Amino acid sequence: DTEVTQTPKHLVMGMTNKKSLKCEQHMGHRAMYWYKQKAKKPPELMFVYSYEKLSINESVPSRFSPECPNSSLLNLHLHALQPEDSALYLCASSAGQGFGEAFFGQGTRLTVV
Amino acid sequence: GQQLNQSPQSMFIQEGEDVSMNCTSSSIFNTWLWYKQDPGEGPVLLIALYKAGELTSNGRLTAQFGITRKDSFLNISASIPSDVGIYFCAGQIQGGSEKLVFGKGTKLTVNP
C-alpha cells in the first residue's frame, strides 16, 4: 500500500475563513511534506516534518500553519488566505532518513474567494 | 534555491514513437525520482534511482542515474495515448535534508 490520502479533494474558502487540509499515510513513513502547486508549475515545497518535528519551513507565510499530530497524520491549517493562495496543495511522505521514494496524495484543489 | 534543468519543456509525438527527456543540475544528487502527473491529480512515482550509473526499467520506461550524479534521463518506448501528461524529475541533493527539488516538467502529447 503506497497510498497517501488527502481530504478534502476540493475546497472553496473566503478570505476570512479558517479551514484545514488533512493528510494521512499508513506506510510507516517518518517524513511528511506539504507542497503547493500552481498551474503549469512544478510542486513547490512548503514544509517538511521528520519524526513528527518540523524540520523545514520554506519561509511560508504564517497564514499557513502545519501540524503533525502523529506519525500518520499531517494537517495544514489555513487562516486569512489571499486569492493568490489558490492552488493545488499536495501532501507527500517518504521513509525519512536517507530519503527514499516520496509518495504523493491526490491533492486538495483550494480556491480562495 | 537549487535548480534542476529539465528538457524538453514539451513534446508532441505520434503513437508508437520513443521519447527521451532529461534533467541536469550543478549539484550532486543522492537520489533521482521520476514522476508523472495528470491534470488535477498528484504526481505518481514512476522510477526511483539511488546509485550513480544505475539503469532501472519499469515496463516501457527506463531511467538512468548519471555517472557524475548531476543528471538523469527517462526514456519511454513505444508510446501510447495514456502516456500523455507532465513528467517531472526530482532529486535529493547530497548532504541535504529531506528536501526534494523538482524540475520544471516535460509536457508530453501523444497523437493517436
Side-chain angles (χ1 to χ4, degrees):
Chain A
D1 179 13
T2 58
E3 189 170 349
V4 176
T5 304
Q6 288 188 244
T7 55
K9 191 165 173 63
H10 301 277
L11 179 63
V12 179
M13 62 184 290
M15 289 187 283
T16 58
N17 291 160
K18 287 184 181 180
K19 297 287 184 183
S20 296
L21 309 184
K22 297 186 182 301
C23 176
E24 189 169 4
Q25 57 88 13
H26 295 288
M27 295 177 276
H29 286 173
R30 302 316 298 261
M32 295 187 76
Y33 311 74
W34 281 115
Y35 282 83
K36 174 183 177 180
Q37 187 178 28
K38 301 285 270 186
K40 300 182 181 180
K41 298 289 186 183
E44 180 183 336
L45 183 66
M46 299 174 72
F47 303 104
V48 181
Y49 272 83
S50 180
Y51 291 84
E52 300 165 47
K53 288 187 166 50
L54 183 64
S55 61
I56 296 176
N57 176 344
E58 291 287 279
S59 303
V60 179
S62 59
R63 57 186 184 268
F64 296 92
S65 176
E67 178 196 20
C68 188
N70 60 56
S71 60
S72 299
L73 295 174
L74 185 66
N75 299 322
L76 185 63
H77 303 298
L78 314 172
H79 174 54
L81 294 193
Q82 303 296 312
E84 58 264 30
D85 296 321
S86 299
L88 182 67
Y89 287 84
L90 295 163
C91 173
S93 71
S94 72
Q97 293 294 333
F99 200 61
E101 298 99 330
F103 296 95
F104 282 80
Q106 288 202 319
T108 294
R109 172 67 62 189
L110 174 68
T111 304
V112 181
V113 296
Chain B
Q2 298 295 335
Q3 298 231 343
L4 284 181
N5 300 309
Q6 186 172 350
S7 64
Q9 188 174 358
S10 61
M11 302 183 75
F12 297 84
I13 62 170
Q14 293 296 125
E15 183 176 358
E17 290 183 356
D18 296 344
V19 171
S20 184
M21 59 193 77
N22 71 287
C23 276
T24 61
S25 174
S26 57
S27 301
I28 292 174
F29 279 72
N30 280 341
T31 306
W32 284 98
L33 305 174
W34 285 93
Y35 290 90
K36 178 177 184 274
Q37 187 174 26
D38 293 326
E41 302 291 328
V44 174
L45 182 65
L46 300 174
I47 291 180
L49 302 160
Y50 299 102
K51 295 181 183 177
E54 180 181 355
L55 184 70
T56 297
S57 293
N58 178 6
R60 294 179 294 106
L61 308 178
T62 302
Q64 185 159 30
F65 194 139
I67 291 291
T68 64
R69 299 174 67 187
K70 294 182 179 181
D71 63 306
S72 176
F73 71 75
L74 174 71
N75 287 342
I76 305 173
S77 63
S79 58
I80 59 179
S82 62
D83 290 333
V84 165
I86 300 178
Y87 292 79
F88 290 102
C89 63
Q92 184 198 23
I93 297 168
Q94 182 185 39
S97 58
E98 294 94 345
K99 184 184 290 191
L100 187 60
V101 180
F102 276 80
K104 292 188 175 182
T106 296
K107 184 177 181 181
L108 179 63
T109 302
V110 180
N111 296 316

PDB file of all heavy atoms in Angstrom, chain B residues 61-98:
ATOM      1  N   LEU B  61       9.207   2.070 -19.499  1.00  0.00           N
ATOM      2  CA  LEU B  61      10.002   3.192 -19.011  1.00  0.00           C
ATOM      3  C   LEU B  61      11.384   2.717 -18.588  1.00  0.00           C
ATOM      4  O   LEU B  61      11.519   1.671 -17.969  1.00  0.00           O
ATOM      5  CB  LEU B  61       9.322   3.838 -17.799  1.00  0.00           C
ATOM      6  CG  LEU B  61       7.867   4.251 -17.933  1.00  0.00           C
ATOM      7  CD1 LEU B  61       7.358   4.823 -16.627  1.00  0.00           C
ATOM      8  CD2 LEU B  61       7.702   5.253 -19.046  1.00  0.00           C
ATOM      9  N   THR B  62      12.385   3.515 -18.930  1.00  0.00           N
ATOM     10  CA  THR B  62      13.755   3.253 -18.499  1.00  0.00           C
ATOM     11  C   THR B  62      14.356   4.570 -18.038  1.00  0.00           C
ATOM     12  O   THR B  62      14.206   5.588 -18.717  1.00  0.00           O
ATOM     13  CB  THR B  62      14.610   2.681 -19.647  1.00  0.00           C
ATOM     14  OG1 THR B  62      14.007   1.476 -20.125  1.00  0.00           O
ATOM     15  CG2 THR B  62      16.025   2.370 -19.156  1.00  0.00           C
ATOM     16  N   ALA B  63      15.034   4.551 -16.903  1.00  0.00           N
ATOM     17  CA  ALA B  63      15.674   5.766 -16.397  1.00  0.00           C
ATOM     18  C   ALA B  63      17.078   5.430 -15.936  1.00  0.00           C
ATOM     19  O   ALA B  63      17.366   4.302 -15.535  1.00  0.00           O
ATOM     20  CB  ALA B  63      14.869   6.364 -15.242  1.00  0.00           C
ATOM     21  N   GLN B  64      17.955   6.413 -16.011  1.00  0.00           N
ATOM     22  CA  GLN B  64      19.331   6.218 -15.573  1.00  0.00           C
ATOM     23  C   GLN B  64      19.782   7.368 -14.692  1.00  0.00           C
ATOM     24  O   GLN B  64      19.438   8.538 -14.918  1.00  0.00           O
ATOM     25  CB  GLN B  64      20.287   6.087 -16.761  1.00  0.00           C
ATOM     26  CG  GLN B  64      21.721   5.768 -16.331  1.00  0.00           C
ATOM     27  CD  GLN B  64      22.563   5.158 -17.422  1.00  0.00           C
ATOM     28  OE1 GLN B  64      22.354   5.427 -18.605  1.00  0.00           O
ATOM     29  NE2 GLN B  64      23.535   4.336 -17.043  1.00  0.00           N
ATOM     30  N   PHE B  65      20.582   7.015 -13.689  1.00  0.00           N
ATOM     31  CA  PHE B  65      21.222   7.961 -12.777  1.00  0.00           C
ATOM     32  C   PHE B  65      22.604   8.227 -13.378  1.00  0.00           C
ATOM     33  O   PHE B  65      23.410   7.325 -13.502  1.00  0.00           O
ATOM     34  CB  PHE B  65      21.357   7.275 -11.417  1.00  0.00           C
ATOM     35  CG  PHE B  65      21.685   8.174 -10.263  1.00  0.00           C
ATOM     36  CD1 PHE B  65      21.068   7.976  -9.045  1.00  0.00           C
ATOM     37  CD2 PHE B  65      22.624   9.170 -10.366  1.00  0.00           C
ATOM     38  CE1 PHE B  65      21.379   8.770  -7.943  1.00  0.00           C
ATOM     39  CE2 PHE B  65      22.938   9.977  -9.289  1.00  0.00           C
ATOM     40  CZ  PHE B  65      22.318   9.766  -8.077  1.00  0.00           C
ATOM     41  N   GLY B  66      22.891   9.454 -13.748  1.00  0.00           N
ATOM     42  CA  GLY B  66      24.141   9.779 -14.421  1.00  0.00           C
ATOM     43  C   GLY B  66      25.374   9.485 -13.577  1.00  0.00           C
ATOM     44  O   GLY B  66      25.335   9.582 -12.348  1.00  0.00           O
ATOM     45  N   ILE B  67      26.456   9.149 -14.255  1.00  0.00           N
ATOM     46  CA  ILE B  67      27.713   8.808 -13.584  1.00  0.00           C
ATOM     47  C   ILE B  67      28.223   9.964 -12.724  1.00  0.00           C
ATOM     48  O   ILE B  67      28.769   9.760 -11.640  1.00  0.00           O
ATOM     49  CB  ILE B  67      28.794   8.442 -14.622  1.00  0.00           C
ATOM     50  CG1 ILE B  67      28.423   7.108 -15.288  1.00  0.00           C
ATOM     51  CG2 ILE B  67      30.165   8.318 -13.979  1.00  0.00           C
ATOM     52  CD1 ILE B  67      28.537   5.923 -14.360  1.00  0.00           C
ATOM     53  N   THR B  68      28.033  11.187 -13.199  1.00  0.00           N
ATOM     54  CA  THR B  68      28.506  12.360 -12.445  1.00  0.00           C
ATOM     55  C   THR B  68      27.595  12.680 -11.268  1.00  0.00           C
ATOM     56  O   THR B  68      27.912  13.539 -10.443  1.00  0.00           O
ATOM     57  CB  THR B  68      28.568  13.598 -13.351  1.00  0.00           C
ATOM     58  OG1 THR B  68      27.241  13.921 -13.794  1.00  0.00           O
ATOM     59  CG2 THR B  68      29.460  13.350 -14.551  1.00  0.00           C
ATOM     60  N   ARG B  69      26.453  12.018 -11.193  1.00  0.00           N
ATOM     61  CA  ARG B  69      25.411  12.231 -10.170  1.00  0.00           C
ATOM     62  C   ARG B  69      24.757  13.601 -10.299  1.00  0.00           C
ATOM     63  O   ARG B  69      24.078  14.056  -9.374  1.00  0.00           O
ATOM     64  CB  ARG B  69      25.986  12.043  -8.761  1.00  0.00           C
ATOM     65  CG  ARG B  69      26.530  10.647  -8.554  1.00  0.00           C
ATOM     66  CD  ARG B  69      27.230  10.496  -7.239  1.00  0.00           C
ATOM     67  NE  ARG B  69      26.306  10.607  -6.125  1.00  0.00           N
ATOM     68  CZ  ARG B  69      26.703  10.636  -4.858  1.00  0.00           C
ATOM     69  NH1 ARG B  69      27.982  10.560  -4.556  1.00  0.00           N
ATOM     70  NH2 ARG B  69      25.825  10.737  -3.891  1.00  0.00           N
ATOM     71  N   LYS B  70      24.946  14.243 -11.472  1.00  0.00           N
ATOM     72  CA  LYS B  70      24.342  15.546 -11.688  1.00  0.00           C
ATOM     73  C   LYS B  70      23.271  15.509 -12.772  1.00  0.00           C
ATOM     74  O   LYS B  70      22.785  16.555 -13.193  1.00  0.00           O
ATOM     75  CB  LYS B  70      25.420  16.558 -12.073  1.00  0.00           C
ATOM     76  CG  LYS B  70      26.418  16.846 -10.972  1.00  0.00           C
ATOM     77  CD  LYS B  70      27.428  17.884 -11.418  1.00  0.00           C
ATOM     78  CE  LYS B  70      28.414  18.202 -10.310  1.00  0.00           C
ATOM     79  NZ  LYS B  70      29.388  19.239 -10.738  1.00  0.00           N
ATOM     80  N   ASP B  71      22.941  14.311 -13.257  1.00  0.00           N
ATOM     81  CA  ASP B  71      21.940  14.250 -14.309  1.00  0.00           C
ATOM     82  C   ASP B  71      21.225  12.902 -14.326  1.00  0.00           C
ATOM     83  O   ASP B  71      21.703  11.920 -13.750  1.00  0.00           O
ATOM     84  CB  ASP B  71      22.592  14.517 -15.678  1.00  0.00           C
ATOM     85  CG  ASP B  71      23.606  13.454 -16.032  1.00  0.00           C
ATOM     86  OD1 ASP B  71      24.529  13.202 -15.237  1.00  0.00           O
ATOM     87  OD2 ASP B  71      23.469  12.856 -17.118  1.00  0.00           O
ATOM     88  N   SER B  72      20.077  12.893 -15.004  1.00  0.00           N
ATOM     89  CA  SER B  72      19.300  11.673 -15.141  1.00  0.00           C
ATOM     90  C   SER B  72      18.458  11.794 -16.403  1.00  0.00           C
ATOM     91  O   SER B  72      18.104  12.902 -16.819  1.00  0.00           O
ATOM     92  CB  SER B  72      18.387  11.474 -13.928  1.00  0.00           C
ATOM     93  OG  SER B  72      17.567  10.326 -14.091  1.00  0.00           O
ATOM     94  N   PHE B  73      18.164  10.658 -17.023  1.00  0.00           N
ATOM     95  CA  PHE B  73      17.245  10.700 -18.154  1.00  0.00           C
ATOM     96  C   PHE B  73      16.145   9.668 -17.974  1.00  0.00           C
ATOM     97  O   PHE B  73      16.285   8.695 -17.234  1.00  0.00           O
ATOM     98  CB  PHE B  73      17.974  10.498 -19.491  1.00  0.00           C
ATOM     99  CG  PHE B  73      18.479   9.088 -19.734  1.00  0.00           C
ATOM    100  CD1 PHE B  73      17.604   8.055 -20.074  1.00  0.00           C
ATOM    101  CD2 PHE B  73      19.826   8.793 -19.639  1.00  0.00           C
ATOM    102  CE1 PHE B  73      18.066   6.771 -20.303  1.00  0.00           C
ATOM    103  CE2 PHE B  73      20.295   7.515 -19.867  1.00  0.00           C
ATOM    104  CZ  PHE B  73      19.408   6.497 -20.191  1.00  0.00           C
ATOM    105  N   LEU B  74      15.038   9.914 -18.680  1.00  0.00           N
ATOM    106  CA  LEU B  74      13.908   8.991 -18.711  1.00  0.00           C
ATOM    107  C   LEU B  74      13.560   8.714 -20.163  1.00  0.00           C
ATOM    108  O   LEU B  74      13.399   9.651 -20.948  1.00  0.00           O
ATOM    109  CB  LEU B  74      12.687   9.580 -17.993  1.00  0.00           C
ATOM    110  CG  LEU B  74      11.396   8.766 -18.081  1.00  0.00           C
ATOM    111  CD1 LEU B  74      11.502   7.499 -17.239  1.00  0.00           C
ATOM    112  CD2 LEU B  74      10.196   9.598 -17.621  1.00  0.00           C
ATOM    113  N   ASN B  75      13.472   7.457 -20.518  1.00  0.00           N
ATOM    114  CA  ASN B  75      13.025   7.055 -21.851  1.00  0.00           C
ATOM    115  C   ASN B  75      11.691   6.335 -21.756  1.00  0.00           C
ATOM    116  O   ASN B  75      11.481   5.529 -20.842  1.00  0.00           O
ATOM    117  CB  ASN B  75      14.040   6.110 -22.514  1.00  0.00           C
ATOM    118  CG  ASN B  75      15.293   6.825 -22.954  1.00  0.00           C
ATOM    119  OD1 ASN B  75      15.312   8.046 -23.072  1.00  0.00           O
ATOM    120  ND2 ASN B  75      16.360   6.074 -23.174  1.00  0.00           N
ATOM    121  N   ILE B  76      10.812   6.615 -22.710  1.00  0.00           N
ATOM    122  CA  ILE B  76       9.554   5.888 -22.836  1.00  0.00           C
ATOM    123  C   ILE B  76       9.557   5.260 -24.220  1.00  0.00           C
ATOM    124  O   ILE B  76       9.720   5.965 -25.220  1.00  0.00           O
ATOM    125  CB  ILE B  76       8.330   6.810 -22.697  1.00  0.00           C
ATOM    126  CG1 ILE B  76       8.399   7.586 -21.381  1.00  0.00           C
ATOM    127  CG2 ILE B  76       7.036   6.001 -22.774  1.00  0.00           C
ATOM    128  CD1 ILE B  76       7.314   8.651 -21.245  1.00  0.00           C
ATOM    129  N   SER B  77       9.402   3.961 -24.284  1.00  0.00           N
ATOM    130  CA  SER B  77       9.414   3.296 -25.587  1.00  0.00           C
ATOM    131  C   SER B  77       7.983   3.011 -26.039  1.00  0.00           C
ATOM    132  O   SER B  77       7.082   2.818 -25.214  1.00  0.00           O
ATOM    133  CB  SER B  77      10.205   1.987 -25.509  1.00  0.00           C
ATOM    134  OG  SER B  77       9.594   1.096 -24.613  1.00  0.00           O
ATOM    135  N   ALA B  78       7.803   3.011 -27.357  1.00  0.00           N
ATOM    136  CA  ALA B  78       6.517   2.666 -27.966  1.00  0.00           C
ATOM    137  C   ALA B  78       5.359   3.382 -27.287  1.00  0.00           C
ATOM    138  O   ALA B  78       4.474   2.748 -26.705  1.00  0.00           O
ATOM    139  CB  ALA B  78       6.320   1.149 -27.936  1.00  0.00           C
ATOM    140  N   SER B  79       5.364   4.691 -27.350  1.00  0.00           N
ATOM    141  CA  SER B  79       4.392   5.500 -26.609  1.00  0.00           C
ATOM    142  C   SER B  79       2.956   5.159 -26.999  1.00  0.00           C
ATOM    143  O   SER B  79       2.669   4.760 -28.138  1.00  0.00           O
ATOM    144  CB  SER B  79       4.660   6.977 -26.855  1.00  0.00           C
ATOM    145  OG  SER B  79       4.592   7.265 -28.239  1.00  0.00           O
ATOM    146  N   ILE B  80       2.069   5.328 -26.033  1.00  0.00           N
ATOM    147  CA  ILE B  80       0.633   5.107 -26.225  1.00  0.00           C
ATOM    148  C   ILE B  80      -0.110   6.343 -25.733  1.00  0.00           C
ATOM    149  O   ILE B  80       0.466   7.151 -24.985  1.00  0.00           O
ATOM    150  CB  ILE B  80       0.160   3.838 -25.469  1.00  0.00           C
ATOM    151  CG1 ILE B  80       0.440   3.953 -23.983  1.00  0.00           C
ATOM    152  CG2 ILE B  80       0.828   2.593 -26.061  1.00  0.00           C
ATOM    153  CD1 ILE B  80      -0.030   2.756 -23.161  1.00  0.00           C
ATOM    154  N   PRO B  81      -1.364   6.524 -26.144  1.00  0.00           N
ATOM    155  CA  PRO B  81      -2.093   7.750 -25.766  1.00  0.00           C
ATOM    156  C   PRO B  81      -2.143   8.015 -24.261  1.00  0.00           C
ATOM    157  O   PRO B  81      -2.102   9.171 -23.841  1.00  0.00           O
ATOM    158  CB  PRO B  81      -3.492   7.503 -26.347  1.00  0.00           C
ATOM    159  CG  PRO B  81      -3.240   6.661 -27.552  1.00  0.00           C
ATOM    160  CD  PRO B  81      -2.120   5.735 -27.152  1.00  0.00           C
ATOM    161  N   SER B  82      -2.192   6.985 -23.441  1.00  0.00           N
ATOM    162  CA  SER B  82      -2.277   7.214 -21.998  1.00  0.00           C
ATOM    163  C   SER B  82      -0.953   7.685 -21.387  1.00  0.00           C
ATOM    164  O   SER B  82      -0.900   8.001 -20.189  1.00  0.00           O
ATOM    165  CB  SER B  82      -2.737   5.936 -21.286  1.00  0.00           C
ATOM    166  OG  SER B  82      -1.815   4.887 -21.480  1.00  0.00           O
ATOM    167  N   ASP B  83       0.083   7.774 -22.189  1.00  0.00           N
ATOM    168  CA  ASP B  83       1.349   8.350 -21.711  1.00  0.00           C
ATOM    169  C   ASP B  83       1.275   9.869 -21.611  1.00  0.00           C
ATOM    170  O   ASP B  83       2.161  10.514 -21.051  1.00  0.00           O
ATOM    171  CB  ASP B  83       2.516   7.973 -22.629  1.00  0.00           C
ATOM    172  CG  ASP B  83       2.880   6.498 -22.552  1.00  0.00           C
ATOM    173  OD1 ASP B  83       2.632   5.872 -21.507  1.00  0.00           O
ATOM    174  OD2 ASP B  83       3.415   5.976 -23.555  1.00  0.00           O
ATOM    175  N   VAL B  84       0.212  10.444 -22.144  1.00  0.00           N
ATOM    176  CA  VAL B  84       0.036  11.900 -22.095  1.00  0.00           C
ATOM    177  C   VAL B  84       0.049  12.379 -20.648  1.00  0.00           C
ATOM    178  O   VAL B  84      -0.557  11.771 -19.771  1.00  0.00           O
ATOM    179  CB  VAL B  84      -1.288  12.298 -22.768  1.00  0.00           C
ATOM    180  CG1 VAL B  84      -1.680  13.723 -22.428  1.00  0.00           C
ATOM    181  CG2 VAL B  84      -1.199  12.106 -24.263  1.00  0.00           C
ATOM    182  N   GLY B  85       0.749  13.478 -20.421  1.00  0.00           N
ATOM    183  CA  GLY B  85       0.813  14.042 -19.081  1.00  0.00           C
ATOM    184  C   GLY B  85       2.057  14.882 -18.919  1.00  0.00           C
ATOM    185  O   GLY B  85       2.774  15.146 -19.885  1.00  0.00           O
ATOM    186  N   ILE B  86       2.313  15.301 -17.696  1.00  0.00           N
ATOM    187  CA  ILE B  86       3.524  16.064 -17.400  1.00  0.00           C
ATOM    188  C   ILE B  86       4.461  15.182 -16.592  1.00  0.00           C
ATOM    189  O   ILE B  86       4.059  14.595 -15.581  1.00  0.00           O
ATOM    190  CB  ILE B  86       3.211  17.365 -16.639  1.00  0.00           C
ATOM    191  CG1 ILE B  86       2.280  18.245 -17.469  1.00  0.00           C
ATOM    192  CG2 ILE B  86       4.503  18.115 -16.325  1.00  0.00           C
ATOM    193  CD1 ILE B  86       1.877  19.534 -16.794  1.00  0.00           C
ATOM    194  N   TYR B  87       5.682  15.079 -17.041  1.00  0.00           N
ATOM    195  CA  TYR B  87       6.694  14.268 -16.379  1.00  0.00           C
ATOM    196  C   TYR B  87       7.658  15.192 -15.644  1.00  0.00           C
ATOM    197  O   TYR B  87       8.171  16.151 -16.210  1.00  0.00           O
ATOM    198  CB  TYR B  87       7.447  13.413 -17.410  1.00  0.00           C
ATOM    199  CG  TYR B  87       6.569  12.349 -18.013  1.00  0.00           C
ATOM    200  CD1 TYR B  87       5.659  12.656 -19.032  1.00  0.00           C
ATOM    201  CD2 TYR B  87       6.604  11.037 -17.557  1.00  0.00           C
ATOM    202  CE1 TYR B  87       4.833  11.689 -19.574  1.00  0.00           C
ATOM    203  CE2 TYR B  87       5.788  10.057 -18.095  1.00  0.00           C
ATOM    204  CZ  TYR B  87       4.897  10.395 -19.100  1.00  0.00           C
ATOM    205  OH  TYR B  87       4.075   9.427 -19.630  1.00  0.00           O
ATOM    206  N   PHE B  88       7.879  14.890 -14.374  1.00  0.00           N
ATOM    207  CA  PHE B  88       8.794  15.675 -13.548  1.00  0.00           C
ATOM    208  C   PHE B  88       9.949  14.804 -13.094  1.00  0.00           C
ATOM    209  O   PHE B  88       9.752  13.658 -12.672  1.00  0.00           O
ATOM    210  CB  PHE B  88       8.103  16.206 -12.291  1.00  0.00           C
ATOM    211  CG  PHE B  88       7.083  17.277 -12.524  1.00  0.00           C
ATOM    212  CD1 PHE B  88       5.733  16.987 -12.502  1.00  0.00           C
ATOM    213  CD2 PHE B  88       7.474  18.594 -12.744  1.00  0.00           C
ATOM    214  CE1 PHE B  88       4.783  17.978 -12.703  1.00  0.00           C
ATOM    215  CE2 PHE B  88       6.533  19.596 -12.944  1.00  0.00           C
ATOM    216  CZ  PHE B  88       5.187  19.289 -12.924  1.00  0.00           C
ATOM    217  N   CYS B  89      11.146  15.379 -13.155  1.00  0.00           N
ATOM    218  CA  CYS B  89      12.250  14.774 -12.429  1.00  0.00           C
ATOM    219  C   CYS B  89      12.318  15.457 -11.068  1.00  0.00           C
ATOM    220  O   CYS B  89      11.889  16.605 -10.908  1.00  0.00           O
ATOM    221  CB  CYS B  89      13.566  14.934 -13.180  1.00  0.00           C
ATOM    222  SG  CYS B  89      14.087  16.648 -13.405  1.00  0.00           S
ATOM    223  N   ALA B  90      12.856  14.746 -10.097  1.00  0.00           N
ATOM    224  CA  ALA B  90      13.020  15.301  -8.753  1.00  0.00           C
ATOM    225  C   ALA B  90      14.217  14.616  -8.117  1.00  0.00           C
ATOM    226  O   ALA B  90      14.542  13.473  -8.442  1.00  0.00           O
ATOM    227  CB  ALA B  90      11.768  15.082  -7.910  1.00  0.00           C
ATOM    228  N   GLY B  91      14.869  15.322  -7.219  1.00  0.00           N
ATOM    229  CA  GLY B  91      16.041  14.720  -6.599  1.00  0.00           C
ATOM    230  C   GLY B  91      16.333  15.288  -5.232  1.00  0.00           C
ATOM    231  O   GLY B  91      15.875  16.386  -4.883  1.00  0.00           O
ATOM    232  N   GLN B  92      17.091  14.519  -4.493  1.00  0.00           N
ATOM    233  CA  GLN B  92      17.567  14.957  -3.192  1.00  0.00           C
ATOM    234  C   GLN B  92      19.049  15.274  -3.314  1.00  0.00           C
ATOM    235  O   GLN B  92      19.832  14.428  -3.757  1.00  0.00           O
ATOM    236  CB  GLN B  92      17.365  13.891  -2.135  1.00  0.00           C
ATOM    237  CG  GLN B  92      17.763  14.358  -0.751  1.00  0.00           C
ATOM    238  CD  GLN B  92      17.980  13.225   0.219  1.00  0.00           C
ATOM    239  OE1 GLN B  92      18.253  12.109  -0.189  1.00  0.00           O
ATOM    240  NE2 GLN B  92      17.864  13.505   1.495  1.00  0.00           N
ATOM    241  N   ILE B  93      19.416  16.486  -2.908  1.00  0.00           N
ATOM    242  CA  ILE B  93      20.796  16.939  -3.047  1.00  0.00           C
ATOM    243  C   ILE B  93      21.677  16.279  -1.985  1.00  0.00           C
ATOM    244  O   ILE B  93      21.278  16.129  -0.838  1.00  0.00           O
ATOM    245  CB  ILE B  93      20.860  18.469  -2.928  1.00  0.00           C
ATOM    246  CG1 ILE B  93      20.069  19.098  -4.085  1.00  0.00           C
ATOM    247  CG2 ILE B  93      22.293  18.965  -2.938  1.00  0.00           C
ATOM    248  CD1 ILE B  93      19.819  20.566  -3.904  1.00  0.00           C
ATOM    249  N   GLN B  94      22.894  15.917  -2.379  1.00  0.00           N
ATOM    250  CA  GLN B  94      23.840  15.305  -1.447  1.00  0.00           C
ATOM    251  C   GLN B  94      24.082  16.231  -0.263  1.00  0.00           C
ATOM    252  O   GLN B  94      24.323  17.425  -0.430  1.00  0.00           O
ATOM    253  CB  GLN B  94      25.158  15.014  -2.147  1.00  0.00           C
ATOM    254  CG  GLN B  94      26.185  14.331  -1.257  1.00  0.00           C
ATOM    255  CD  GLN B  94      27.522  14.167  -1.954  1.00  0.00           C
ATOM    256  OE1 GLN B  94      27.960  15.041  -2.677  1.00  0.00           O
ATOM    257  NE2 GLN B  94      28.155  13.042  -1.755  1.00  0.00           N
ATOM    258  N   GLY B  95      24.029  15.666   0.925  1.00  0.00           N
ATOM    259  CA  GLY B  95      24.287  16.448   2.131  1.00  0.00           C
ATOM    260  C   GLY B  95      23.112  17.288   2.559  1.00  0.00           C
ATOM    261  O   GLY B  95      23.193  18.015   3.550  1.00  0.00           O
ATOM    262  N   GLY B  96      22.051  17.215   1.808  1.00  0.00           N
ATOM    263  CA  GLY B  96      20.868  17.991   2.147  1.00  0.00           C
ATOM    264  C   GLY B  96      19.978  17.244   3.110  1.00  0.00           C
ATOM    265  O   GLY B  96      20.308  16.162   3.568  1.00  0.00           O
ATOM    266  N   SER B  97      18.852  17.795   3.402  1.00  0.00           N
ATOM    267  CA  SER B  97      17.896  17.173   4.297  1.00  0.00           C
ATOM    268  C   SER B  97      16.924  16.360   3.438  1.00  0.00           C
ATOM    269  O   SER B  97      17.286  15.859   2.390  1.00  0.00           O
ATOM    270  CB  SER B  97      17.165  18.256   5.072  1.00  0.00           C
ATOM    271  OG  SER B  97      16.537  19.130   4.153  1.00  0.00           O
ATOM    272  N   GLU B  98      15.693  16.243   3.922  1.00  0.00           N
ATOM    273  CA  GLU B  98      14.709  15.504   3.138  1.00  0.00           C
ATOM    274  C   GLU B  98      14.143  16.346   1.989  1.00  0.00           C
ATOM    275  O   GLU B  98      13.226  15.912   1.306  1.00  0.00           O
ATOM    276  CB  GLU B  98      13.548  15.043   4.029  1.00  0.00           C
ATOM    277  CG  GLU B  98      13.926  14.023   5.080  1.00  0.00           C
ATOM    278  CD  GLU B  98      14.252  14.672   6.402  1.00  0.00           C
ATOM    279  OE1 GLU B  98      14.460  15.908   6.427  1.00  0.00           O
ATOM    280  OE2 GLU B  98      14.313  13.953   7.408  1.00  0.00           O
TER     281      GLU B  98
END
